[in-house]
Amino acid sequence: MNKLNTSSSELDLDRPNIEDYLPSGSIQEPHGELRLRDLLDISPTLTEAAGAIVDDSFTRCFKSNPPEPWNWNIYLFPLWCLGVVVRYMILFPLRVMVLMLGWIVFLSCYFPVHFLLTGQEKLRKRLERGLVELICSFFVASWTGVVKYHGPRPSMRPKQVFVANHTSMIDFIVLEQMTAFAVIMQKHPGWVEAKDREIVARKLREHVHGADNNPLLIFPEGTCVNNHYTVMFKKGAFELGCTVCPIAVKYNKIFVDAFWNSRKQSFTTHLLQLMTSWAVVCDVWYLEPQNLKPGETAIEFAERVRDIISVRAGLKKVPWDGYLKYSRPSPKHREQKQQSFAESILRRLEEK
Amino acid sequence: MGSALSVLTQYDIEEVQEHCNHLFTQQEIVTLYKRFCQLDRNSKGFISSDEFLSVPEFAMNPLSQRLLKMTDGLNFKDFVAFLSAFSARATVQQKIEIIFKVYDSDSNGKVTFKDLIEVLQDLSGAFISDKQREEVLSQLLQEAGYKKESSLMLDDFIKILDHQGLKMEVEIPVD
């Protein structure tokens, strides 16, 4: 009589349980005899909905929090105006010139090295990496990047992959300046289209296991987050059968907010904003390499590494998939709620 | 107030406060305004259904579609009035009123058996059979002294739901 109909869609047991993260203080497990009131009382569900309307942890991840303006009184304002003149009229043109110089140096060296040193693979690769690191340094200089690196510089070993939290396109450049990586960002719904996923995963595995390839840098969040939170890490990087080296990046907003809010500004505007500010200050921590623990799933591994990075950089974790920026949540979440409601009703019915 | 302004003046805040019967403080209204502007991406003066659904926690809620019917096209003043039922200062009766409105989808002041079943359907999905839902509801209605054919009014809802344990509050973060 009290048979529960199972839903046609299977529940994904691999996903970390969002219900553990979401506030559910208002939903106490009701017990006692089932009455009409219990069936009609939708207040817990409504409270959750209203709570989400008023404030939700997902939108908070992508909100720009600009630094407090300091130019608000009569002494500071002229100083600030002078600063604007210096930044736009002196620094900005200088930086553009530095960048152009960098490109000229890079291109004039890279092509000869690439085409003339075809015989000596090792030397060529080493020079190419050095040149890539050089052009990145030029980029970093073009927004006066003040980067403090902590921890041992990553060594070039096979069977290791680097993961980092993602705030802006410049993350990659800041990291590349130190070590020439090969970068990939996890794209929805996996690396590439589902049917190619196998191929790409295999290719990545091969790349990682190859001794002489550039180390692989992956941003498992898949999207830019505002550097106060981390969203869920996709498990792809953690299934490659190699050591994962976490890197934590935290920007100091003292002069400019490095977060690129793609909803609010184009990349060019963002880049110009960076190039006309005093400096971009950040800390980079190279953290202890991690391996898959026995009995740990890829998702648990991903969450563990996310925890390590978040703690180091002082970021709060939220249980959301970054791609919810572009798509709706899967119906599985709603079904989970429906299932727990149904189970509670039927159980209390049995108690009657 | 018309379309959304980028700056909220003291007059505006007081007007909104009047409209929601002083169930929110001025600070809370300022916070709600920031939230409204955050959700209303292109400053249209109202939040579209799509923009509400871009909040994953809301999209996952089983009653989101019903709530969207109530919140669609609301300007800021009405948005605050809608949320005022969730204020800690609202009376139990005000809270039951909004619950009633969620059930009464055609807004005719009466909640029929069909309305009750539909909400139950939203809440329990495919995890209870239609037949069982009807049986449980009929049984409980009968026990409470109502007939399946009769519709419930607001007063009935107040009688059924008004009890100590009814908590429906949302805290508005204030900087």
Side-chain angles (χ1 to χ4, degrees), chain A residues 121-350:
Chain A
E121 275 305 306
K122 263 205 147 76
L123 179 63
R124 181 176 80 157
K125 281 214 163 160
R126 205 143 53 98
L127 284 177
E128 282 176 358
R129 276 189 200 121
L131 283 172
V132 169
E133 287 169 22
L134 187 69
I135 183 69
C136 285
S137 302
F138 271 101
F139 264 114
V140 171
S142 76
W143 1 278
T144 314
V146 177
V147 186
K148 194 156 179 220
Y149 296 93
H150 309 258
R153 192 176 149 177
S155 27
M156 294 262 302
R157 287 189 296 229
K159 294 180 105 181
Q160 69 181 9
V161 99
F162 291 84
V163 300
N165 59 311
H166 196 36
T167 301
S168 162
M169 294 304 183
I170 65 179
D171 288 340
F172 155 61
I173 297 177
V174 163
L175 295 175
E176 187 88 352
Q177 187 192 213
M178 206 28 138
T179 322
F181 290 108
V183 168
I184 185 165
M185 180 135 96
Q186 304 221 207
K187 288 207 158 292
H188 182 72
W191 300 99
V192 283
E193 291 309 312
K195 61 180 182 333
D196 295 330
R197 204 148 72 159
E198 287 300 312
I199 304 173
V200 177
R202 198 178 4 108
K203 279 207 173 126
L204 283 172
R205 229 178 278 243
E206 284 168 13
H207 179 105
V208 169
H209 286 74
D212 218 22
N213 292 328
N214 285 347
L216 192 61
L217 171 65
I218 300 178
F219 293 110
E221 286 172 309
T223 188
C224 292
V225 184
N226 72 358
N227 212 225
H228 287 278
Y229 298 92
T230 49
V231 296
M232 296 216 289
F233 278 11
K234 301 201 184 302
K235 62 180 178 166
F238 302 87
E239 292 182 314
L240 296 172
C242 50
T243 312
V244 170
C245 306
I247 304 177
V249 180
K250 176 76 177 167
Y251 290 90
N252 186 330
K253 284 201 288 231
I254 181 173
F255 296 118
V256 73
D257 185 357
F259 169 53
W260 174 37
N261 190 340
S262 49
R263 283 175 181 168
K264 271 201 173 154
Q265 49 181 194
S266 70
F267 186 59
T268 334
T269 322
H270 172 64
L271 201 61
L272 284 173
Q273 192 187 15
L274 291 180
M275 287 181 76
T276 54
S277 59
W278 290 109
V280 174
V281 183
C282 68
D283 284 284
V284 172
W285 291 273
Y286 295 108
L287 302 167
E288 195 180 320
Q290 301 290 324
N291 284 300
L292 188 69
K293 288 202 178 128
E296 208 179 31
T297 65
I299 292 202
E300 286 167 358
F301 187 26
E303 282 300 295
R304 185 164 61 87
V305 170
R306 177 161 86 116
D307 198 43
I308 293 171
I309 292 180
S310 306
V311 165
R312 179 67 267 189
L315 307 170
K316 298 191 202 96
K317 299 194 306 180
V318 297
W320 301 108
D321 175 349
Y323 284 120
L324 290 173
K325 243 182 175 179
Y326 313 110
S327 63
R328 299 273 172 263
S330 138
K332 288 179 199 149
H333 301 300
R334 180 183 299 209
E335 282 167 11
Q336 262 179 331
K337 287 180 191 286
Q338 288 173 330
Q339 186 178 26
S340 61
F341 177 78
E343 278 174 4
S344 143
I345 293 291
L346 290 174
R347 188 187 50 239
R348 292 176 68 186
L349 204 58
E350 259 179 65

Side-chain angles (χ1 to χ4, degrees), chain B residues 126-170:
Chain B
F127 296 91
I128 304 183
S129 70
D130 285 336
K131 186 159 147 298
Q132 196 165 25
R133 257 191 292 261
E134 283 194 27
E135 277 176 19
V136 174
L137 186 59
S138 306
Q139 183 187 349
L140 292 176
L141 274 173
Q142 207 173 40
E143 284 175 17
Y146 295 98
K147 286 209 283 279
K148 187 173 157 180
E149 303 76 32
S150 56
S151 359
L152 299 171
M153 307 289 197
L154 180 59
D155 289 329
D156 298 310
F157 259 70
I158 294 175
K159 209 162 41 148
I160 298 167
L161 289 174
D162 191 349
H163 67 108
Q164 286 284 55
L166 186 71
K167 264 202 107 188
M168 201 166 76
E169 276 168 30
V170 166

Side-chain angles (χ1 to χ4, degrees), chain A residues 1-5 7 18 22 34-37 39-43 45-59 63 263 320 324 328-329 333-335 337-339 341-342 345-346 349 352, chain B residues 35 38-39 41 50 53-64 67 79 86 99 102-103 116 120 122-129 132 135-137 139-141 143-144 160-161 163 166-170:
Chain A
M1 194 64 214
N2 293 333
K3 207 161 43 121
L4 209 59
N5 289 357
S7 156
I18 281 201
L22 285 177
L34 193 64
R35 298 163 62 174
L36 183 61
R37 177 209 302 168
L39 220 54
L40 260 45
D41 186 1
I42 50 174
S43 59
T45 312
L46 284 186
T47 311
E48 268 188 357
I53 293 178
V54 166
D55 188 19
D56 76 292
S57 54
F58 182 73
T59 319
K63 195 169 104 162
R263 283 175 181 168
W320 301 108
L324 290 173
R328 299 273 172 263
H333 301 300
R334 180 183 299 209
E335 282 167 11
K337 287 180 191 286
Q338 288 173 330
Q339 186 178 26
F341 177 78
I345 293 291
L346 290 174
L349 204 58
K352 268 163 102 52
Chain B
R35 177 64 171 179
Q38 190 185 50
L39 292 174
R41 301 260 175 81
D50 233 18
L53 289 173
S54 72
V55 176
E57 234 172 287
F58 181 81
M60 277 171 22
N61 193 290
L63 295 175
S64 53
L67 286 170
F79 174 73
F86 297 92
I99 293 180
V102 171
Y103 275 97
L116 295 171
L120 265 181
D122 286 340
L123 288 175
S124 51
F127 296 91
I128 304 183
S129 70
Q132 196 165 25
E135 277 176 19
V136 174
L137 186 59
Q139 183 187 349
L140 292 176
L141 274 173
E143 284 175 17
I160 298 167
L161 289 174
H163 67 108
L166 186 71
K167 264 202 107 188
M168 201 166 76
E169 276 168 30
V170 166

Side-chain angles (χ1 to χ4, degrees), chain A residues 88-102:
Chain A
Y88 281 81
M89 301 293 168
I90 302 176
L91 284 183
F92 181 63
L94 271 177
R95 286 168 175 172
V96 171
M97 288 199 293
V98 162
L99 203 54
M100 291 205 295
L101 179 67

